[in-house]
Amino acid sequence: MRIAVVTERREGERRVALTPDAVTRLKGQGIDVLVHAGAGTGASLPDEAYAEAGAEVVADEADLLGRADALVTVGRPEQDWIDGLRRGAILVGLAVVIFWGTFFPLI
């Protein structure tokens, strides 16, 4: 299993889907983690911290997506992220529908 973490694009978004600590735990379970270069910058988590935790830091987003078995995001996934995933890949992220000013999570 290979999990990928992207750099969130929404304006003002500083969070990242996985911390280096989470990477360490996943690696301990035999799960590989790919982290897009700069993904943790907004949360003050440098690429070096991810690499030290055992993640592979990947500069090319398309390469990262194409190699992922699962993609984790903080916010709503961008369409090009979804399009870039291989058939059968898993997407774990937040999806919200706004209906008449009210938020309803998609289930």
Side-chain angles (χ1 to χ4, degrees):
M1 170 65 77
R2 190 176 299 132
I3 296 176
V5 178
V6 289
T7 303
E8 300 290 332
R9 294 186 194 156
R10 295 240 181 250
E11 185 176 335
E13 182 59 77
R14 298 179 354 169
R15 297 173 295 169
V16 61
L18 294 176
T19 63
D21 182 57
V23 170
T24 300
R25 289 189 231 164
L26 289 166
K27 289 294 289 181
Q29 298 296 317
I31 298 171
D32 292 325
V33 180
L34 307 173
V35 177
H36 187 225
T41 302
S44 299
L45 298 168
D47 291 342
E48 294 77 19
Y50 284 99
E52 288 172 11
E56 179 185 344
V57 178
V58 180
D60 184 77
E61 185 180 76
D63 177 45
L64 175 127
L65 293 168
R67 294 170 53 203
D69 296 312
L71 173 65
V72 293
T73 69
V74 171
R76 183 182 329 170
E78 302 288 338
Q79 186 62 51
D80 63 312
W81 294 343
I82 295 167
D83 295 342
L85 291 172
R86 294 177 301 147
R87 183 174 180 85
I90 300 165
L91 172 62
V92 180
L94 177 65
V96 176
V97 174
I98 301 174
F99 182 74
W100 293 339
T102 304
F103 290 94
F104 294 95
L106 291 177
I107 300 176

